[in-house]
Each structure stands twice: as structure tokens, then as C-alpha cells.
Amino acid sequence: PTPAPPEGPALALRVAQVPLVETGGARLGRFTVGEDLAVTELQQLKAMDALGWRYGPGSQPFLPQDGPRFGVTHVFWRAKVVASDGDGGFEETWCLLSSAESPKQRDMEVVQAATEDAAAVAGYAQAFNAQTARLHNEEVGGDHDAESVVGIRVCVPVACFAIGGHAMHIAQPGQAVSLAMYPFLQVNKFVFEGHEAFTELAQAFFHYVAWHSAGKEVVADLQGFEDEDGDIFIVDPAVIRPKPVSLGSLASTLLRDGTSQDQHETQTPEQRRFDAWHPKCSQLCKAFDPTRRSVNCRRHCGLSMPSCGVGSG
């Protein structure tokens, strides 16, 4: 006889942390700290396989291979979540659930690294969207703001502890997972290796983060879904923060600068990564970084590079 399906939810979760983010650059569910959630259905879709491309040796030459954002392999699930609707009833929401592949790594520190990166990227998205709105209003007219203009929306996850459920291979009681509002059925890469189909909004946003942070932060693995209105919903972004410059690396750079090597040989890994991932600029880039074709661009992006990613076009 066919065994009866297990009773109860696949996972019972309790929300442990909800990041504070501006709504103009984020999509955050109505989940609240201490709220109990029921995951009633779990799916793994081939159209979401791109989420896992970040992990593994040699996955991408310009990505770090350590730390919780790159060195901890995650598994992703499309999850139907049942939560209170705030009015005495319940509502169902499709989310993206992320769990570390190794049970030993399903701790809150790993999950918080993901929520913090997403919140940081959402902050940049808020500023980028506000600037795009101002540009639109000046050129076309209207009264758009960061929330109403077509822009970047980061699906910021909440951090949860498992408190029960029969899907023990995903998370056991006490283990941590992340849960992001993501109703879409696929995940596309916008900025990953530099060979993706050029998406102006995503490429301009990648450039904007480097410019806005003066090169101190780079957003990596921009992925998600572009809806019919042109909004790009980003899920599970990662932030690369360059390591402090050591005396040895500084001396090496100075020695290289004094030789006759060509530009590629004298570029730092950060410069080569920027050029690889941002092969050309768009009109949106010109709006915030008008000097990107001149040597002054080094002040803006903090990358000490004359082209700031501009290709031959």
C-alpha cells in the first residue's frame, strides 16, 4: 500500500530577525519577529538552478571562495508559506527558502550574513531608484519617487529558526534558514560572469554600487526576475568588500606601476573584475558617473582605473 503522506507542515518556522530597510529599494514580507510560519509545500525548480552557480571550486574566477556568502553551499527551495493575515485569518505566500547544505552550517551567523548583504544592497537600490526617479521626472515629467519608478527591488529575507516539521533534511529544530518573498518561477543571472545578456538597469546598478561606495563594496551575483513592468527583483545578492591593502601588496602595485607592462597586466583583481562584469556603460551610468571615460573616474569608483568598465563602445 502507498504510505500516507506525513501530517503537518513540511517545516514550522519562527521568525528571529527582520532587517530594517527602506521600501523604495526592497521587497520585504509582512512577517514579524516572533511570528510562527508554516511551510506547506516545497518545490525545487530547474528554472531556479542558477541560484547554485555561485558555489564550488572554480565557479567564477572573480568570486571569493570563503566566508558564509561564498564558501557555504546553500540549497534553495520554492516554499508556500502560510502566515497570519493580521485580521484573524491566514494567507499563503510563495517565498524562496535558503538552507545551508551542511547541517553543521545551518546557524544564525550564516543566515544573518545573507540578510545583511540583502539589506545593504537594498539600501543602494533605494538611492539608485531615487536618482533614476529624479532623472525621469526631469527628462519626461511626472512625479515618480524611488517606489514608483521602474527600478531595482531587492527581495530581502528574514531569518528564521526551524521549530518543527517533517522536512528534516532541510532544517531540524534549532537550525536557521532564510525566507524571502519571491513569487516568481525562475531566476535569471543579470551580472555574474559578464557574458549575460546585457540588461541596462542591472548593469547600471552594479556600476552605481561601486561608484557610490567609492569601490569599498561591490555587489556580486545580481540575479532574479524582470517583471512585465521592467522592475528587476533581486534575490540572494552578495556583497564583496575588498580586503585591506597590505604593505606587501602596496609595494607590489608601486613596482608594477613603474614598469612598461600593458594595462591588463597592471590592473588589480578588483579592476579586472569590474571590467569583466561591466563590459560597457549605458546612458544610466552617465547620469551618475559622467566622467567615466576620463582618468578622473578613479575618484568616483575607487578602482584606480581610467575606463571604469567602459568597453570599446
Side-chain angles (χ1 to χ4, degrees):
T2 303
E7 295 183 0
L11 285 173
L13 305 175
R14 180 162 295 155
V15 180
Q17 179 199 43
V18 178
L20 295 176
V21 292
E22 296 286 345
T23 57
R27 285 295 177 266
L28 189 66
R30 292 164 50 180
F31 306 140
T32 58
V33 173
E35 181 178 4
D36 290 345
L37 311 173
V39 178
T40 59
E41 187 175 344
L42 289 162
Q43 302 174 352
Q44 281 193 304
L45 305 181
K46 188 170 183 58
M48 290 185 168
D49 282 354
L51 287 161
W53 294 355
R54 178 188 308 171
Y55 307 108
S59 57
Q60 219 283 11
F62 292 114
L63 287 179
Q65 296 296 313
D66 56 1
R69 301 300 292 130
F70 301 96
V72 177
T73 301
H74 283 70
V75 181
F76 298 87
W77 303 79
R78 188 168 187 257
K80 182 186 287 186
V81 178
V82 178
S84 170
D85 63 3
D87 196 30
F90 296 91
E91 60 183 359
E92 295 181 340
T93 307
W94 281 103
C95 298
L96 185 72
L97 185 147
S98 174
S99 171
E101 186 176 56
S102 169
K104 295 180 180 179
Q105 295 175 314
R106 294 173 191 158
D107 57 48
M108 190 53 66
E109 181 180 358
V110 169
V111 172
Q112 285 181 335
T115 62
E116 289 170 0
D117 273 7
V121 176
Y124 286 117
Q126 163 83 15
F128 176 78
N129 293 341
Q131 177 173 281
T132 303
R134 288 192 297 270
L135 181 65
H136 183 277
N137 295 341
E138 291 170 2
E139 295 187 351
V140 183
D143 191 27
H144 284 288
D145 58 17
E147 293 193 38
S148 63
V149 74
V150 172
I152 301 292
R153 319 292 174 192
V154 181
C155 301
V156 179
V158 298
C160 303
F161 282 117
I163 57 175
H166 56 76
M168 304 285 280
H169 60 294
I170 297 177
Q172 300 176 16
Q175 294 177 347
V177 300
S178 69
L179 198 65
M181 296 279 288
Y182 191 78
F184 310 108
L185 293 169
Q186 65 187 75
V187 171
N188 301 312
K189 295 290 192 188
F190 298 113
V191 178
F192 182 59
E193 294 179 315
H195 305 304
E196 301 78 34
F198 188 84
T199 305
E200 181 180 12
L201 194 64
Q203 281 285 337
F205 178 61
F206 170 80
H207 185 159
Y208 181 84
V209 173
W211 172 83
H212 194 278
S213 69
K216 294 182 176 65
E217 293 188 330
V218 175
V219 60
D221 204 2
L222 282 175
Q223 57 190 345
F225 187 80
E226 182 177 3
D227 72 4
E228 59 185 13
D229 296 323
D231 283 314
I232 293 180
F233 292 83
I234 298 297
V235 67
D236 196 39
V239 177
I240 298 175
R241 299 169 177 88
K243 297 179 181 178
V245 177
S246 66
L247 290 176
S249 63
L250 180 59
S252 176
T253 300
L254 291 173
L255 287 172
R256 287 200 310 269
D257 289 345
T259 68
S260 60
Q261 293 170 303
D262 63 31
Q263 181 183 352
H264 179 77
E265 290 176 330
T266 59
Q267 281 185 322
T268 67
E270 289 78 17
Q271 294 164 358
R272 292 197 296 272
R273 175 172 59 210
F274 188 91
D275 276 341
W277 292 355
H278 187 58
K280 64 179 180 178
C281 282
S282 69
Q283 288 300 110
L284 280 176
C285 297
K286 185 186 294 186
F288 58 83
D289 193 3
T291 59
R292 71 194 189 282
R293 290 184 181 273
S294 74
V295 293
N296 293 328
C297 189
R298 67 178 59 193
R299 293 202 309 271
H300 296 289
C301 288
L303 295 172
S304 300
M305 57 196 307
S307 67
C308 205
V310 180
S312 57

